[in-house]
Amino acid sequence: MGGLVVKKAHILGQNDDQYRQSIHATSAMLFLSTPHRGTNLAELLNRILAVSVFNHSPKQYIADLKQNSPAIQDINEQFRNIAPRLNVFSFYETQQTAVGPRKMMVLEKDSSILGYPNEISKALDADHHNVCKYTNQQDPNYVSVRDALKSLLPKSRSADSELPPALANDDVDMKGVENLVAVSQIPEDDYEFFRDRWMPGSCEWIFSRPGFLSWLHDTTTASRILWVSGLPGCGKSVLSSFIIGQLQETGYNCQYYFFRFGDGTKRTVNALLRSLAYQIALELPELREEFQKMSENGVKLENVEGRTIWRKLFVSRLFKLRVQQPLYWLIDALDECEEPQLLLSLLSSVTSSQIPLRMMFVGRKTHALSAAFQRIDPSFQVDELSANDKEDLTRYVETEIKYMRGDSGIKARIIQTVCEKANGNFLWVHLVLKEILQCHTKAAIEQALEEMPPDLEPLYQRMENALSKSSRPGDRKLSNAVLTWVIYSQRALTLEELSEALKPEFSEVLDLRLTVSQVCGDFVVIDARGRAAIVHQTAREYLIKTPGLDHSITLRDGHKNLFMKCISYLSNAIPRFRGHISLAPSTPLFLHYAATSWSYHLASSTVSLDHSVLLALNRFFRNSCVLGWIQLLATWNQLKILVDASQSVTAYLGKKSIVDTESSPLTHRLQEKELLELWSIDLVKIVGKFGGQLVKHPRTIQSLIPTLCPTTTAIFQYFGQTKARGRIILSGFSHLRWDDCLSRFSVGRDTQSLGIIALDRLFVILTSDGSLRFYDAITNQPIRQISHGERVLCFRFSPSYEKCVTYGFRTTKIWSMEDSRQIYSIRNPDDAKALDVTFADIESTIFSFSNDGTIRRCVLGSSENVWNVVNGNVKYDDAEGRHFNVPRRVAFNPDGTLVALASRGLPLFVWDIDNAGLVGRCKRASDKNRSRRELYSEVGPICWNPASGHVLGLYQDGCIFKWHPWESDSQEVRSVAAGIQCSSDGVLFVTRHTNGMLQVWNFNHFALVYQLSYHISVIDTALSPDGRRVYDLRESFCNVWEPNALIRHAEADEKSSETTSTVGSWTQLSPTSEMSNETLEPLTALATGSKTWSCCSGDEAGVVRLIRANDQPSIQIAQGFMPVNHIAWSDDEKYIATADLGGRLNVRIIDDSSPVTECPLLFETKIGGGFLQVLMDTRSEFLLLVTVVFTELWHLESNRMITTKPNVNPHCQWITHPLDSAYIIQCAFNGVGIYLWSTLEEIEYRSFEKVLQESTREDVSEHTTWIPPSASFAMSPDGNSDAVENVFIPKSGSHLLLRTSRPSTQKHRTVQFLKVRIEDLKVADDSAASHIEAQEIPRSIASKMAKILGFTCKSPRRRSHGLLGEAEIEEEDVLAFLDHDDWVCSWDVGSEVTAKPKMRRHFFLPQDWLNLDSLRLATISREGRFYCPRNGEVAVVSNWLQNEWID
């Protein structure tokens, strides 16, 4: 029983915080003769007790483990969901065990083996007594178990040898953390830069300051802040590096970050938080594990708004960990942060941290920072300390002049004078001493001391004058070029990069390091890593803002010159690296800077009447080097730069249009501007439509992607029209431009959609049958489903997304999102319907607010899971004596501490749950003058901003409002809406309107960003966590929208996306984007033609159309009232049979001799249920109709039914006999039946000789949905029947292919692909065997198949018989299919089975084609054309089969 106990313990430990870490660290289990199954379990265990050395008698509790007992079924069912994450070995005994005078098998093999897909089972030559006992190390049983254990060692070791030693044996790989936060190292470069400037003996004074010591040695659990401020240049960063070193050397858990004024990538709150999270994850394994889970769920935070990172990584994860030792954070140069006020405001969440935090901020003391520190929560202890210390300054001067020639008197004079005038500024002292040390006489030294300027600016003037006098004209040009790069570059360049940037004007510089120091003097410093930087921010400001200098670098020319240099360098360099673009050692490092930074310089430059920038951009975008640039960015996984470039180009065009108003219209270069406008759209759409494939296969931008773009786009016009070898040809779309609809799919016609929530990698739809349907956010395919069992009134996910609560009429249920398992079930109070529900107390409690005006709490995992009333009913008291009514609108805040309530006749108010008190009332200015008897403005739907703590809502008189209950500030904007939802990062919110319109707003500026007009009313909406997409529910469909405006916003620099940004206004950053969308009815059936016509389609509205090739207009031939779900088309294209969901079938005649406007109806029939299959014979004589109940055979010419038979096997497929069209074959799971077409009389039956593997693969996760919905197989098959799902017949091949499935676990089905020789199906062959071979196709191919498209004829191949013999033309059929990466692939079914069968990839499907309903209909014609419905039309791809894609 030990193995059963271990399984049960592993199951229970999944949700126990005390053991969760140990459970997740378990990677494998080895079972030695464990009774997994319940077959005769009681008798088996009694035998074990009888043979035990203690001679136990049978026990009563063993009866609980009998076959099919609840205990054993519960263990096996729960462990089945966990086992796929483990390596499972099962060993079984093979010898009988002596029991008294007899011997018997204590445990049979069937009971010792679980039967799971990844399980490894092996026999041991032993009885039950000796299965775990070994005579020596050479014992074969010992060797078997030892080898099993040995095989697990490589799987448990980390694959990354570069991780710190402390992580070498960790179960969680830091790669997941790196992917999550886009950080792969701690900021050691910045630390070492300042640490190298530290002088021994300096900075030690900090450890004698009481304020610092109190902060350092505080033993309380409260968090503290120490603000160390000082004047510019006083050595604050050096002091920071010293403190960091001391903390690390003495064993403190210290994380740090340096804001750098010269590097824009290191000045954002986003970069700081990601770096801190990475450093903390290095030290805390439990946090590393949480981050790993987030990474596995597809979460990426590189471009996410700072508030969201803070909430997701720190508030929701870090602060919930119970760690006794404090974390020490040192943040240097806070004044250089782009938004220090935002950073300090986030600290209000630290009050909930279980970990003590010691935060030190170092920077200049500005008025804004002083005010920000004063606004920090009073519960924080904030201490301030000055960074100025005269002893360090004196020590520095003494050290610098220690070896200067001269007596002690002159040295003392220097020390005294310099220290008196320095005012604590180390930079000033450094520059002054350099001048003094160049003096050769006492008189010169005295003069230098007398002429020392009192501050830095005059000193910079003297430095600049000295450079001007000592430099030759050529050196002056070089100096200006270097200073331009140092001052205006987006980040500090290395000497190698700078050398490339200076070419060809300044090529072959012999010693660039020496040259820079000579031509730029003390203005430029080079750090230990060889990066050139300006000596100080004040020097940069002096050179930029001081006019008339020989080395003055104006803002107008600086960025423009660097842009021109970058774009020119790319145009020249990219062609040289075509085919092997990478960051290999042979690739110039400056290539990376130019590719990623030209858009930054374009956006930062000013615009003039000069057209040089416009022309340079046009040359770049007209040339194929633009594709090479995109390939570069994809190779480096830097597609964000494409969106940055789009924004920069758009901003440039806007500024250029304003400037051009001052010149003649004839000089406006409209054609060049139009090209850039097209590219500004294309760049964003390339990211949205092709980003995933482009990162995996960067070279697809050179050939595949341009051909898949709309015909009016710039990328198609310049690079997609070439009919060169290797280029596919796309047709079938009437829309010539990009659209915003990424996907549209049916949620289900048998139920109503009620609500939608978007998570990180999933989105979830609530339906009226009480189900939550989970969809993949990338492919929009259903993944799984949980059913509450009754209608759900409201549902909510926990902040970590690990749990979900659903509140129904009778019960509330808590679900685990890891395995969709129900954890708790709670009975609801009678006559109390919840208006909202939420999690609280670190997901250990749930709250509900019911229509009886009561807040209830349930503590999860308690002895009694029941609802308890919290502090009685909510009370509302106001000066006018109004009483609280049952609210019409309720919304809990994200952490479950507050609830917003809106009642008729009262203002919106917020209630504090824990303190049972009123927080505040939202009173409008228009309500203040109302009399006591008048009602307040009616409040409609409301929601919370998760990041800012505001309440968003709608007033019924046509206003949107936001209100903060603690700060009592409110804002309104006029807009009539019916619903409102806020994004998870609080940056955007979306409103829906009764006329079907959607509007997306920027929360901070309350400005409209995007507007979509659509005629169908909206049920519910949601914004994706990354802010790129809007989901909406309309009728029975879900629409996914991905407009350019939202992509640009999501990829925008942080300073323009923070909710507290003060830089400009959103309407300036992103003007409102409007779109009107009239989506066509989705297609529900598709059949391909064989002669004149391309294909025939049926749609959701019952319309049937014939579609010609070459983009000719389609022709409507029928109009019904129900969705068409079957189309059968005769081989001669004479008849078309269509069937709809209502059970109506029409057969129409197509006459090519006359214009096709209406196809005459041949006959019509109606059945009581839906059709499973509609099939015509190849001679257009007969029509087969298959339903769940019966099978009918019709004669087409006479319009009569020949026969009808009961359908005893609805899980089969019918096909015309590939060798004799007079026969029809019924393909079943275990064999085939051959029938006459004319009478449906069975001729013979041949069973399959096949060996079904334990599992080929399970349709789990995202691949489950490839099982096509039908009357017999719903979205999740019931799992009760073996079935043949599809049969694929080649035109001239030797094998047909069957896709079969059988029940598996959790409503999944194990799928197997079998190929059958067509020769074995011959009729009237007396020697024909009653059994035929059904051979499983290679698993390496089957595992890649997501959707089989069908057989097609590959290009004829020529075989030669001898040197002079005639060549024989042979057609070769291949199988086309979609793989799990959405590539159209092919495989030769008739090929010999080899160890590595050849599979070819040809092209991938764009993101907006990945629609479950569309892909279900995707097919291929015999001639090799690929058909895929999209947005009510049919995409046709040709010229693809002859060309194989090779990465």
Side-chain angles (χ1 to χ4, degrees):
M1 291 182 61
L4 300 179
V5 174
V6 169
K7 287 197 297 183
K8 186 63 177 179
H10 194 78
I11 293 168
L12 296 175
Q14 299 287 321
N15 300 303
D16 192 321
D17 292 337
Q18 184 177 356
Y19 302 105
R20 183 176 297 175
Q21 183 175 351
S22 299
I23 293 299
H24 286 300
T26 303
S27 61
M29 285 191 182
L30 278 75
F31 296 100
L32 300 178
S33 289
T34 297
H36 295 294
R37 305 181 184 277
T39 305
N40 200 23
L41 188 58
E43 181 180 352
L44 183 147
L45 290 179
N46 281 325
R47 291 178 184 176
I48 294 175
L49 292 174
V51 301
S52 66
V53 296
F54 299 104
N55 194 27
H56 287 299
S57 60
K59 302 295 183 182
Q60 181 63 38
Y61 63 82
I62 295 176
D64 294 336
L65 301 180
K66 287 183 179 180
Q67 184 179 9
N68 297 323
S69 70
I72 195 69
Q73 287 186 353
D74 180 69
I75 292 175
N76 288 336
E77 187 63 24
Q78 294 185 55
F79 190 73
R80 186 185 300 274
N81 299 319
I82 300 171
R85 299 192 293 271
L86 300 171
N87 294 289
V88 177
F89 288 80
S90 296
F91 294 90
Y92 57 90
E93 61 198 69
T94 56
Q95 295 183 7
Q96 293 183 339
T97 303
V99 182
R102 297 190 306 161
K103 286 189 176 182
M104 64 179 66
M105 287 298 297
V106 175
L107 197 63
E108 298 291 343
K109 175 183 176 181
D110 290 342
S111 292
S112 300
I113 296 176
L114 288 162
Y116 294 164
N118 298 322
E119 178 189 19
I120 297 176
S121 60
K122 194 168 184 178
L124 293 179
D125 187 19
D127 60 19
H128 196 79
H129 277 316
N130 299 308
V131 75
C132 57
K133 301 174 183 177
Y134 315 110
T135 57
N136 51 50
Q137 293 185 357
Q138 286 71 42
D139 187 336
N141 293 336
Y142 171 87
V143 173
S144 297
V145 178
R146 181 203 63 189
D147 291 344
L149 293 170
K150 191 174 181 180
S151 68
L152 295 172
L153 292 178
K155 300 178 182 179
S156 64
R157 289 174 179 159
S158 172
D160 191 347
S161 60
E162 298 179 358
L163 291 176
L167 297 176
N169 297 318
D170 282 349
D171 295 320
V172 182
D173 195 341
M174 280 299 293
K175 285 294 183 183
V177 181
E178 294 174 9
N179 293 333
L180 174 69
V181 299
V183 175
S184 59
Q185 60 183 5
I186 60 179
E188 288 181 343
D189 289 353
D190 298 322
Y191 166 74
E192 291 175 359
F193 176 81
F194 294 109
R195 184 66 170 175
D196 291 343
R197 283 151 178 75
W198 173 76
M199 183 177 58
S202 64
C203 302
E204 295 179 354
W205 56 267
I206 190 71
F207 283 92
S208 63
R209 298 293 176 89
F212 176 80
L213 293 176
S214 175
W215 171 85
L216 180 64
H217 300 304
D218 189 348
T219 58
T220 66
T221 59
S223 296
R224 293 185 59 171
I225 294 176
L226 179 63
W227 180 26
V228 180
S229 60
L231 297 172
C234 70
K236 298 183 296 297
S237 296
V238 175
L239 174 64
S240 296
S241 68
F242 171 77
I243 296 173
I244 293 168
Q246 293 297 308
L247 292 179
Q248 291 180 337
E249 290 175 8
T250 51
Y252 288 93
N253 195 339
C254 175
Q255 294 80 42
Y256 59 90
Y257 191 82
F258 292 82
F259 288 110
R260 299 296 299 272
F261 70 87
D263 193 339
T265 62
K266 295 182 179 180
R267 298 183 60 190
T268 65
V269 175
N270 170 294
L272 161 71
L273 296 179
R274 289 187 291 112
S275 179
L276 288 179
Y278 177 83
Q279 295 177 64
I280 300 170
L282 285 171
E283 303 295 335
L284 302 181
E286 53 269 55
L287 183 67
R288 195 158 62 246
E289 182 180 354
E290 292 292 325
F291 288 178
Q292 175 73 12
K293 291 180 183 178
M294 296 179 67
S295 178
E296 292 173 352
N297 289 329
V299 183
K300 293 187 177 181
L301 301 175
E302 181 177 6
N303 302 316
V304 174
E305 187 257 357
R307 289 182 183 270
T308 302
I309 297 177
W310 179 258
R311 182 170 53 84
K312 287 190 174 184
L313 299 187
F314 294 84
V315 177
S316 298
R317 266 103 181 158
L318 174 64
F319 296 165
K320 292 181 180 179
L321 301 179
R322 297 185 181 276
V323 179
Q324 295 181 352
Q325 297 299 322
L327 297 179
Y328 290 84
W329 296 352
L330 197 151
I331 314 301
D332 183 70
L334 179 62
D335 52 294
E336 300 295 344
C337 175
E338 289 180 346
E339 292 183 307
Q341 294 87 351
L342 170 65
L343 176 59
L344 295 177
S345 69
L346 294 177
L347 297 178
S348 59
S349 302
V350 177
T351 54
S352 61
S353 175
Q354 303 290 325
I355 304 177
L357 298 179
R358 307 287 180 262
M359 292 166 282
M360 176 185 292
F361 295 95
V362 182
R364 288 184 290 178
K365 187 174 184 178
T366 64
H367 176 74
L369 283 181
S370 298
F373 275 108
Q374 291 174 2
R375 287 195 295 268
I376 292 178
D377 193 309
S379 61
F380 273 99
Q381 181 176 345
V382 180
D383 299 312
E384 185 177 354
L385 188 65
S386 174
N388 298 325
D389 184 79
K390 294 182 178 180
E391 293 182 3
D392 278 353
L393 194 64
T394 303
R395 186 178 294 108
Y396 175 73
V397 177
E398 291 175 347
T399 302
E400 289 295 306
I401 67 172
K402 181 177 181 179
Y403 299 103
M404 184 188 81
R405 294 186 179 183
D407 56 33
S408 58
I410 191 63
K411 290 183 179 181
R413 164 81 169 141
I414 293 173
I415 294 173
Q416 179 182 0
T417 305
V418 171
C419 291
E420 287 177 353
K421 294 185 177 182
N423 196 24
N425 193 318
F426 277 84
L427 176 61
W428 182 91
V429 171
H430 169 74
L431 297 174
V432 166
L433 289 179
K434 288 197 72 172
E435 286 194 15
I436 292 176
L437 292 174
Q438 293 175 358
C439 297
H440 302 287
T441 65
K442 288 186 177 181
I445 293 175
E446 290 292 344
Q447 182 180 358
L449 292 175
E450 291 294 332
E451 295 177 355
M452 281 190 304
D455 50 36
L456 286 171
E457 185 168 331
L459 194 58
Y460 291 146
Q461 184 177 3
R462 291 170 59 174
M463 291 165 52
E464 198 273 336
N465 290 336
L467 281 179
S468 300
K469 293 178 181 179
S470 62
S471 300
R472 294 190 298 270
D475 291 344
R476 195 172 303 166
K477 291 182 180 179
L478 176 59
S479 174
N480 283 345
V482 172
L483 286 173
T484 300
W485 280 108
V486 170
I487 291 174
Y488 291 106
S489 61
Q490 190 176 20
R491 60 168 174 79
L493 298 181
T494 65
L495 291 177
E496 291 81 2
E497 291 174 318
L498 185 58
S499 177
E500 286 289 324
L502 295 174
K503 296 176 181 177
E505 294 82 1
F506 305 97
S507 58
E508 299 182 3
V509 178
L510 300 179
D511 187 340
L512 187 58
R513 182 186 293 268
L514 177 62
T515 300
V516 169
S517 65
Q518 290 178 345
V519 301
C520 297
D522 292 323
F523 281 110
V524 178
V525 295
I526 299 175
D527 64 17
R529 300 297 179 94
R531 295 174 300 186
I534 198 74
V535 66
H536 198 264
Q537 173 70 356
T538 53
R540 180 181 186 271
E541 295 173 354
Y542 172 79
L543 292 175
I544 292 175
K545 298 179 180 180
T546 306
L549 300 178
D550 289 339
H551 295 83
S552 177
I553 313 295
T554 64
L555 182 64
R556 172 178 176 178
D557 296 330
H559 282 294
K560 176 185 174 182
N561 292 340
L562 298 195
F563 160 76
M564 296 293 288
K565 184 65 182 181
C566 288
I567 208 76
S568 173
Y569 184 88
L570 286 176
S571 300
N572 295 326
I574 286 178
R576 300 201 305 267
F577 295 95
R578 183 183 299 275
H580 51 88
I581 293 177
S582 66
L583 269 183
S586 59
T587 306
L589 294 178
F590 183 67
L591 183 64
H592 183 272
Y593 181 87
T596 57
S597 299
W598 70 258
S599 59
Y600 164 76
H601 295 298
L602 176 65
S604 302
S605 62
T606 56
V607 180
S608 65
L609 292 174
D610 178 24
H611 296 306
S612 58
V613 171
L614 181 65
L615 296 177
L617 284 170
N618 268 263
R619 286 192 297 270
F620 179 71
F621 282 110
R622 290 175 184 270
N623 193 284
S624 61
C625 64
V626 67
L627 301 183
W629 168 63
I630 297 174
Q631 183 180 341
L632 270 173
L633 299 177
T635 303
W636 302 332
N637 197 14
Q638 290 283 318
L639 292 185
K640 172 187 179 296
I641 304 300
L642 295 182
V643 182
D644 294 341
S646 171
Q647 291 178 306
S648 298
V649 170
T650 301
Y652 167 79
L653 291 174
K655 293 185 288 187
K656 182 66 175 171
S657 297
I658 296 174
V659 172
D660 284 350
T661 56
E662 302 175 3
S663 63
S664 169
L666 298 177
T667 65
H668 286 183
R669 300 275 185 174
L670 298 180
Q671 186 175 358
E672 286 80 359
K673 292 180 180 179
E674 182 181 358
L675 174 64
L676 296 185
E677 288 175 354
L678 290 175
W679 269 109
S680 68
I681 298 173
D682 290 355
L683 293 177
V684 178
K685 289 300 183 183
I686 287 171
V687 176
K689 307 282 186 180
F690 309 106
Q693 295 288 357
L694 189 53
V695 170
K696 295 178 183 177
H697 312 283
R699 206 164 46 80
T700 54
I701 191 63
Q702 299 288 348
S703 56
L704 282 180
I705 290 177
T707 59
L708 294 172
C709 297
T711 56
T712 59
T713 61
I715 187 173
F716 179 86
Q717 291 177 4
Y718 281 90
F719 308 110
Q721 300 188 83
T722 305
K723 300 294 190 298
R725 179 178 177 82
R727 295 296 181 98
I728 64 174
I729 300 173
L730 175 64
S731 60
F733 290 143
S734 61
H735 295 290
L736 305 180
R737 296 178 176 83
W738 299 110
D739 60 42
D740 290 347
C741 184
L742 190 63
S743 178
R744 187 184 190 216
F745 60 90
S746 174
V747 179
R749 304 178 185 92
D750 56 344
T751 186
Q752 180 184 359
S753 300
L754 301 178
I756 184 169
I757 290 180
L759 309 180
D760 286 321
R761 200 175 181 180
L762 311 169
F763 60 95
V764 186
I765 297 177
L766 171 66
T767 55
S768 57
D769 60 358
S771 297
L772 291 182
R773 302 186 181 187
F774 293 76
Y775 295 81
D776 187 281
I778 298 176
T779 64
N780 303 315
Q781 297 177 24
I783 296 175
R784 61 181 183 269
Q785 177 176 319
I786 60 176
S787 179
H788 186 95
E790 59 178 332
R791 190 180 181 95
V792 173
L793 300 176
C794 50
F795 70 109
R796 180 76 67 94
F797 287 86
S798 64
S800 66
Y801 301 139
E802 294 180 357
K803 296 186 182 73
C804 175
V805 54
T806 54
Y807 192 106
F809 281 102
R810 296 183 299 274
T811 60
T812 299
K813 296 182 179 180
I814 313 298
W815 308 84
S816 167
M817 289 299 95
E818 185 175 10
D819 51 13
S820 301
R821 177 174 50 88
Q822 178 184 317
I823 305 174
Y824 304 107
S825 180
I826 308 158
R827 180 175 178 81
N828 293 337
D830 296 335
D831 302 325
K833 298 179 180 179
L835 301 177
D836 196 16
V837 64
T838 191
F839 285 89
D841 300 333
I842 319 180
E843 304 178 9
S844 62
T845 303
I846 54 174
F847 286 104
S848 68
F849 194 102
S850 304
N851 58 353
D852 58 359
T854 301
I855 301 176
R856 291 179 173 86
R857 172 197 285 122
C858 177
V859 179
L860 304 178
S862 59
S863 57
E864 295 182 0
N865 287 325
V866 296
W867 288 110
N868 295 304
V869 176
V870 178
N871 295 332
N873 293 337
V874 176
K875 299 178 181 180
Y876 181 90
D877 300 319
D878 69 357
E880 298 179 357
R882 301 189 185 277
H883 300 289
F884 174 73
N885 301 319
V886 175
R888 301 180 69 241
R889 308 288 181 178
V890 176
F892 286 102
N893 72 336
D895 58 7
T897 58
L898 305 174
V899 59
L901 305 167
S903 300
R904 182 176 178 82
L906 295 174
L908 174 74
F909 66 97
V910 169
W911 184 263
D912 188 324
I913 299 174
D914 293 334
N915 298 320
L918 188 68
V919 176
R921 306 178 182 92
C922 179
K923 293 187 177 182
R924 305 175 71 186
S926 58
D927 291 331
K928 292 180 180 179
N929 297 325
R930 296 175 183 263
S931 65
R932 176 174 296 184
R933 295 182 179 181
E934 291 180 316
L935 297 177
Y936 286 94
S937 299
E938 188 79 12
V939 178
I942 55 177
C943 65
W944 287 82
N945 183 313
S948 68
H950 285 78
V951 179
L952 278 164
L954 306 173
Y955 286 122
Q956 299 290 16
D957 61 358
C959 281
I960 304 171
F961 70 89
K962 64 177 179 180
W963 166 65
H964 199 289
W966 296 105
E967 300 175 2
S968 299
D969 67 311
S970 62
Q971 186 177 349
E972 295 182 12
V973 63
R974 177 66 62 177
S975 180
V976 180
I980 187 169
Q981 279 82 29
C982 189
S983 63
S984 60
D985 60 7
V987 177
L988 300 174
F989 66 91
V990 58
T991 57
R992 64 182 186 272
H993 302 253
T994 55
N995 60 359
M997 183 172 63
L998 291 180
Q999 291 183 326
V1000 180
W1001 304 74
N1002 175 269
F1003 172 81
N1004 185 51
H1005 303 284
F1006 239 44
L1008 186 62
V1009 176
Y1010 174 73
Q1011 179 172 298
L1012 169 71
S1013 298
Y1014 197 7
H1015 67 282
I1016 301 176
S1017 60
V1018 187
I1019 299 172
D1020 196 17
T1021 58
L1023 283 160
S1024 65
D1026 60 9
R1028 290 170 175 263
R1029 298 179 183 177
V1030 182
Y1031 301 89
D1032 71 41
L1033 300 175
R1034 302 172 191 258
E1035 297 180 341
S1036 62
F1037 294 93
C1038 176
N1039 297 286
V1040 185
W1041 310 96
E1042 191 174 65
N1044 277 20
L1046 298 191
I1047 296 177
R1048 287 194 180 104
H1049 165 266
E1051 298 289 356
D1053 291 336
E1054 187 178 11
K1055 66 180 180 181
S1056 63
S1057 64
E1058 299 285 6
T1059 58
T1060 59
S1061 174
T1062 57
V1063 182
S1065 68
W1066 180 259
T1067 53
Q1068 293 172 334
L1069 294 172
S1070 179
T1072 302
S1073 173
E1074 296 189 21
M1075 176 191 173
S1076 179
N1077 187 283
E1078 295 298 329
T1079 305
L1080 302 175
E1081 291 289 344
L1083 299 187
T1084 53
L1086 183 67
T1088 61
S1090 58
K1091 295 183 179 179
T1092 307
W1093 301 92
S1094 175
C1095 61
C1096 178
S1097 68
D1099 65 22
E1100 183 77 19
V1103 176
V1104 180
R1105 289 185 175 86
L1106 285 175
I1107 302 173
R1108 292 184 182 272
N1110 302 322
D1111 289 334
Q1112 297 185 36
S1114 62
I1115 300 170
Q1116 179 176 326
I1117 63 172
Q1119 170 70 66
F1121 302 98
M1122 296 288 288
V1124 179
N1125 62 346
H1126 290 284
I1127 299 177
W1129 203 348
S1130 61
D1131 283 1
D1132 58 6
E1133 296 187 346
K1134 182 178 180 181
Y1135 300 110
I1136 285 184
T1138 61
D1140 61 27
L1141 283 180
R1144 184 179 301 278
L1145 179 126
N1146 293 317
V1147 180
R1148 296 184 177 272
I1149 304 173
I1150 300 178
D1151 187 2
D1152 287 338
S1153 61
S1154 60
V1156 181
T1157 55
E1158 292 186 5
C1159 296
L1161 181 67
L1162 180 63
F1163 74 90
E1164 182 180 57
T1165 185
K1166 180 77 165 59
I1167 64 170
F1171 291 95
L1172 296 180
Q1173 192 176 359
V1174 178
L1175 180 67
M1176 289 187 189
D1177 73 322
T1178 56
R1179 294 176 294 185
S1180 305
E1181 293 184 15
F1182 304 106
L1183 175 68
L1184 185 75
L1185 306 179
V1186 183
T1187 71
V1188 176
V1189 180
F1190 58 82
T1191 302
E1192 291 182 353
L1193 180 66
W1194 287 71
H1195 189 269
L1196 290 173
E1197 290 291 340
S1198 61
N1199 306 340
R1200 64 182 177 86
M1201 184 174 65
I1202 299 174
T1203 184
T1204 180
K1205 294 184 177 182
N1207 190 356
V1208 296
N1209 186 1
H1211 303 293
C1212 64
Q1213 293 289 317
W1214 295 80
I1215 62 171
T1216 297
H1217 200 295
L1219 298 178
D1220 191 339
S1221 60
Y1223 297 93
I1224 185 172
I1225 299 177
Q1226 183 188 42
C1227 300
F1229 186 80
N1230 293 316
V1232 297
I1234 302 177
Y1235 298 76
L1236 280 173
W1237 250 119
S1238 57
T1239 62
L1240 215 59
E1241 175 186 354
E1242 183 175 5
I1243 304 301
E1244 57 182 305
Y1245 177 83
R1246 298 177 186 175
S1247 61
F1248 289 145
E1249 286 186 350
K1250 58 181 179 178
V1251 179
L1252 291 177
Q1253 303 298 322
E1254 196 64 35
S1255 68
T1256 297
R1257 69 175 180 85
E1258 284 196 6
D1259 277 350
V1260 297
S1261 185
E1262 66 266 27
H1263 308 312
T1264 302
T1265 56
W1266 288 112
I1267 299 177
S1270 66
S1272 57
F1273 291 104
M1275 185 178 72
S1276 295
D1278 57 16
N1280 295 327
S1281 304
D1282 298 337
V1284 175
E1285 297 176 4
N1286 299 101
V1287 181
F1288 301 92
I1289 312 168
K1291 180 180 180 181
S1292 57
S1294 58
H1295 294 78
L1296 57 82
L1297 186 70
L1298 286 73
R1299 174 184 166 121
T1300 67
S1301 68
R1302 56 179 179 164
S1304 182
T1305 61
Q1306 297 291 316
K1307 296 186 178 181
H1308 297 143
R1309 299 182 67 83
T1310 299
V1311 175
Q1312 191 169 40
F1313 299 95
L1314 303 173
K1315 64 177 184 178
V1316 177
R1317 291 180 69 250
I1318 294 178
E1319 284 293 323
D1320 293 342
L1321 301 175
K1322 283 185 177 180
V1323 185
D1325 188 347
D1326 295 336
S1327 63
S1330 60
H1331 302 280
I1332 58 177
E1333 184 182 87
Q1335 183 182 1
E1336 180 185 2
I1337 69 172
R1339 295 188 179 185
S1340 59
I1341 297 294
S1343 63
K1344 294 179 173 62
M1345 290 182 175
K1347 156 74 177 177
I1348 296 181
L1349 301 170
F1351 283 94
T1352 186
C1353 180
K1354 194 177 179 181
S1355 297
R1357 63 182 182 184
R1358 188 176 299 271
R1359 288 185 176 179
S1360 177
H1361 298 281
L1363 294 176
L1364 301 177
E1366 293 183 0
E1368 175 186 348
I1369 302 297
E1370 180 184 90
E1371 288 188 344
E1372 181 184 6
D1373 272 6
V1374 295
L1375 182 71
F1377 61 91
L1378 287 175
D1379 69 6
H1380 296 304
D1381 291 327
D1382 308 312
W1383 280 75
V1384 174
C1385 307
S1386 64
W1387 172 60
D1388 184 0
V1389 177
S1391 61
E1392 295 295 329
V1393 177
T1394 61
K1396 293 184 178 181
K1398 177 67 173 177
M1399 181 195 80
R1400 298 174 176 85
R1401 275 185 165 185
H1402 301 280
F1403 69 95
F1404 67 84
L1405 302 189
Q1407 175 72 32
D1408 54 344
W1409 293 21
L1410 302 182
N1411 180 306
L1412 174 64
D1413 295 330
S1414 298
L1415 293 178
R1416 181 177 60 85
L1417 302 176
T1419 186
I1420 195 169
S1421 68
R1422 294 175 180 175
E1423 294 74 24
R1425 287 190 293 268
F1426 169 77
Y1427 297 84
C1428 182
R1430 179 195 174 271
N1431 193 19
E1433 299 181 310
V1434 181
V1436 183
V1437 182
S1438 55
N1439 195 40
W1440 58 270
L1441 187 58
Q1442 295 77 19
N1443 303 285
E1444 179 181 359
W1445 178 264
I1446 301 176
D1447 282 315

